[in-house]
Amino acid sequence: MNPSVTQKERIISLDIIRGLALFGILFINVGAYQVLIEGGPMPDYSGINGVINTLIDIFIEKKFFSIFSFLFGVGFYIFATRAEARGDRPRWRFARRLLALLIIGIIHIFLFWGSILAIYAVLGFLLLPFYSAKVTTISKWLMAIITLYILALLGQIYMPANTTMSAIYGFVGNDAVSIFIMFLSGFLAAKAGWISHITENMQKVKWLLYVTGPLFIGFSLWIWLASQADDQRIQSILGLGVIPTTYFYLTCLFIILEHKQVVKLLQPIGRVGQMAFTNYLAQSFIGTAIISLMGLEVVSPSDIVVIASIIFIIQIIFSMLWFKFFTIGPFEKLWRYMTYGKRAVTKQ
């Protein structure tokens, strides 16, 4: 058994998870880099492409964005508490950080229509009232929102179509709600000390693993069967499984990354996560360039696997080279400048 990681290595572990989340996000975004035109060629979903598409639905769709969202919540806690420790106003400073993210996100939408940054910024403001709340209060709010979200999705799946109820189900059960659930989950995990004291809370982490593991298997089978049957409710089924699956992935990763040798092995991926903002923005440009060089009119699932892997390898190499000369990513530096209104130091 390898010894547990130090506090510094724990931050690296968060970067590794963030880097892995960026890799998973690529499998969803790459297909959107090539805009489909009505009446034009469509991606091939037969044979191996159909299998790959279903596997992406089962293991990746919505899950890795949710991991990224969880880490955003963790980041809010770390940022705000550090700001408060410096004598700064944590809510005001984080609000300014969100405004900067919103501006960058709006600009990015004009370059890539699937950008999530502006949505993250808007939903991030909903975290501000929870900063001074007790852990028990946050837990109750989280459980209430999760319950409403699940009921809405079950309503979409099983309840008869009704204009009013369908609108309510669609509002409460949409992806924005699941993103905020993961924001709040990450903030709660950080504030409760789970992130900084994984070893001490290992029994709780393993309990969550044992609970979500069977749910992950069950939803995976359900999604597979729904895909094979061409079930029109597939998006609602995917949404229903995203929370337990994301919790399952996160608990697995946190347990695995408690070992120093694993952390050391995955440090190159951590470098990608360390400049996640820059790499997320760069992915759409690199992906579009690769699609153009390959001369693809449409991007099929097998193409997605190849292109996503190439992009991530490029970003690993670039990130490792970048940190040999700099201590912070270029867009991270811009974001920090916009947050503080002056040339901030590289350490917070």
Side-chain angles (χ1 to χ4, degrees), residues 42-76:
M42 298 297 289
D44 176 22
Y45 290 107
S46 62
I48 188 63
N49 280 310
V51 174
I52 293 173
N53 188 61
T54 301
L55 291 176
I56 289 174
D57 279 347
I58 292 172
F59 297 107
I60 298 175
E61 178 74 33
K62 300 182 187 291
K63 286 84 173 179
F64 283 81
F65 268 118
S66 293
I67 292 174
F68 207 67
S69 302
F70 177 91
L71 294 172
F72 186 91
V74 174
F76 166 56

Side-chain angles (χ1 to χ4, degrees), residues 1-31:
M1 178 76 69
N2 297 320
S4 297
V5 299
T6 64
Q7 186 64 27
K8 181 179 179 181
E9 289 167 325
R10 197 176 308 284
I11 299 299
I12 296 173
S13 296
L14 293 176
D15 288 334
I16 291 170
I17 296 174
R18 193 175 289 108
L20 291 171
L22 281 173
F23 185 40
I25 288 170
L26 275 170
F27 284 83
I28 306 304
N29 282 353
V30 165

Side-chain angles (χ1 to χ4, degrees), residues 68-269:
F68 207 67
S69 302
F70 177 91
L71 294 172
F72 186 91
V74 174
F76 166 56
Y77 177 79
I78 293 173
F79 177 90
T81 52
R82 286 179 176 178
E84 187 173 22
R86 292 193 305 267
D88 204 346
R89 292 176 290 173
R91 290 188 186 86
W92 181 88
R93 186 62 67 186
F94 190 70
R96 179 163 174 164
R97 186 172 177 83
L98 291 173
L99 285 173
L101 180 63
L102 180 61
I103 293 170
I104 297 172
I106 291 172
I107 295 171
H108 192 223
I109 287 174
F110 288 101
L111 303 173
F112 171 49
W113 66 270
S115 175
I116 198 73
L117 298 179
I119 296 173
Y120 265 45
V122 173
L123 293 176
F125 282 101
L126 298 178
L127 282 173
L128 294 175
F130 291 96
Y131 179 65
S132 298
K134 296 179 180 179
V135 168
T136 52
T137 301
I138 300 171
S139 300
K140 290 175 183 177
W141 272 95
L142 179 61
M143 291 307 301
I145 298 171
I146 290 175
T147 300
L148 290 173
Y149 176 73
I150 291 173
L151 290 174
L153 290 172
L154 289 173
Q156 290 178 354
I157 295 171
Y158 294 112
M159 294 297 179
N162 177 285
T163 304
T164 303
M165 293 307 297
S166 294
I168 294 173
Y169 294 150
F171 178 77
V172 180
N174 65 38
D175 288 343
V177 176
S178 69
I179 289 171
F180 182 70
I181 286 172
M182 298 316 299
F183 278 4
L184 199 56
S185 297
F187 177 70
L188 174 61
K191 185 162 188 171
W194 284 35
I195 303 299
S196 56
H197 300 92
I198 293 289
T199 304
E200 293 86 336
N201 290 283
M202 187 58 70
Q203 289 304 314
K204 295 177 182 178
V205 175
K206 288 183 176 179
W207 177 86
L208 186 58
L209 176 73
Y210 299 147
V211 170
T212 56
L215 291 173
F216 162 69
I217 294 171
F219 279 111
S220 297
L221 292 172
W222 192 3
I223 294 168
W224 174 268
L225 294 172
S227 297
Q228 299 308 300
D230 199 21
D231 195 325
Q232 298 302 308
R233 306 170 300 175
I234 185 68
Q235 288 302 313
S236 297
I237 297 169
L238 283 168
L240 201 58
V242 70
I243 296 173
T245 300
T246 304
Y247 286 165
F248 175 71
Y249 283 178
L250 284 166
T251 50
C252 287
L253 287 169
F254 278 121
I255 291 172
I256 292 170
L257 291 172
E258 274 298 284
H259 304 297
K260 286 186 176 182
Q261 289 184 357
V262 177
V263 171
K264 185 176 181 180
L265 179 67
L266 298 180
Q267 272 189 339
I269 295 176

